[in-house]
Amino acid sequence: MATGTEPTSQTGATGVHSASRAAIPARHLRTDRWWLAPACTAAGLLAFIVYSTWRAFANADYYHAPYVSPFYSPCLAENCHTMRGGPNWELLGSWWGLSPALLILIFPLGFRLTCYYYRKAYYRGFWASPPACAVAEPHTKYTGETRFPLILQNVHRYFFYFAVLVAGVLTYDTALTFRDENYAWGHMGLGTLIFLANIVLIWAYTLSCHSCRHIVGGRLRHFSKHPVRYRLWGWVGKLNARHMLLAWSSLISVAAADFYVFLLASGAITDPRFF
């Protein structure tokens, strides 16, 4: 009995219509403007890639007391602005001559690139694998994440630990924004609010990660015997349900925090002070 899923052998067929893929009758394929969603995703990711690349290689206008760009924190080389009380950790000494941001961005970038949501986003937006649900795929063969280079996506769980460390440093940077330009404590500017919003979103996105959910409650046979971990697992699960929203929100907020510091450091604006 025909089921409509038997392999086909169309001459010259490509993608899902090739002999090595399951047959999908045309009546089951979408005909609406399905390309809008992956196109918007690709445009958003591409915009951030262009902006972050420019800022990372600029090596300028990333510090304006008491604010330091999240792209450049912590600073691990000697060729950084001296940030009084800030994250100046000159672990690599003077041999590093490029932008210090390149030493830091690899960790949050690696975390986001291997994130389950971002995989879906750029698989669809850039690789068309698949372009969208119920849309014919252009690839004649599917191996998933079982071969190089996509098998490297499994390092996501390790990037999570680095992401927690980076979020901790950014939390420290946020605390330092309660100083004024002379490093006196007890002040708040517009930048303080921007940094507070950013760090809340960064932590929410980091803790909503699937790896975090597994670390908190994975491999437990009886939740009743681990009430604390069960409650934490429930909290992380609620965040995980909003992982896509938190991914985009934190991506926008970290770019906004960096751009605000750029405007201050370049002299384009001044920081409004509330007290």
Side-chain angles (χ1 to χ4, degrees), residues 109-134:
L109 179 62
F111 179 59
R112 287 184 182 264
L113 280 177
T114 57
C115 164
Y116 286 96
Y117 169 70
Y118 282 110
R119 294 185 206 180
K120 170 187 172 182
Y122 61 76
Y123 284 3
R124 290 188 173 186
F126 294 100
W127 295 352
S129 179
C133 292

Side-chain angles (χ1 to χ4, degrees), residues 3-220:
T3 62
T5 60
E6 290 80 6
T8 64
S9 57
Q10 301 178 34
T11 303
T14 60
V16 293
H17 300 297
S18 64
S20 62
R21 304 295 298 269
I24 302 179
R27 66 179 182 275
H28 294 312
L29 298 178
R30 291 171 60 177
T31 58
D32 64 331
R33 290 186 291 182
W34 58 264
W35 50 268
L36 282 176
C40 291
T41 297
L45 292 177
L46 185 61
F48 181 81
I49 291 170
V50 172
Y51 174 79
S52 59
T53 301
W54 165 59
R55 289 293 292 141
F57 282 95
N59 196 18
D61 299 325
Y62 59 84
Y63 181 66
H64 182 84
Y67 308 113
V68 56
S69 165
F71 289 177
Y72 286 80
S73 182
C75 196
L76 302 179
E78 288 185 3
N79 62 338
C80 299
H81 286 292
T82 300
M83 297 175 282
R84 183 174 171 182
N88 281 105
W89 303 345
E90 301 173 357
L91 301 179
L92 300 183
S94 60
W95 69 271
W96 182 262
L98 300 177
S99 171
L102 301 178
L103 296 171
I104 298 302
L105 287 180
I106 185 176
F107 298 110
L109 179 62
F111 179 59
R112 287 184 182 264
L113 280 177
T114 57
C115 164
Y116 286 96
Y117 169 70
Y118 282 110
R119 294 185 206 180
K120 170 187 172 182
Y122 61 76
Y123 284 3
R124 290 188 173 186
F126 294 100
W127 295 352
S129 179
C133 292
V135 175
E137 188 174 342
H139 305 285
T140 58
K141 191 175 183 181
Y142 178 78
T143 58
E145 296 175 344
T146 62
R147 295 185 178 183
F148 182 85
L150 296 185
I151 195 172
L152 296 179
Q153 300 282 26
N154 291 314
V155 301
H156 178 63
R157 69 192 70 179
Y158 304 109
F159 273 116
F160 168 76
Y161 298 114
F162 287 109
V164 170
L165 292 176
V166 171
V169 173
L170 297 183
T171 303
Y172 175 71
D173 293 342
T174 302
L176 295 182
T177 64
F178 286 92
R179 306 180 301 176
D180 62 14
E181 63 276 5
N182 298 314
Y183 306 102
W185 287 94
H187 300 273
M188 174 184 284
L190 177 59
T192 307
L193 297 180
I194 293 175
F195 272 65
L196 281 172
N198 177 57
I199 195 57
V200 168
L201 291 172
I202 288 292
W203 273 115
Y205 166 66
T206 303
L207 296 180
S208 70
C209 168
H210 294 75
S211 292
C212 179
R213 191 166 183 258
H214 178 73
I215 291 170
V216 170
R219 297 186 178 182
L220 293 181

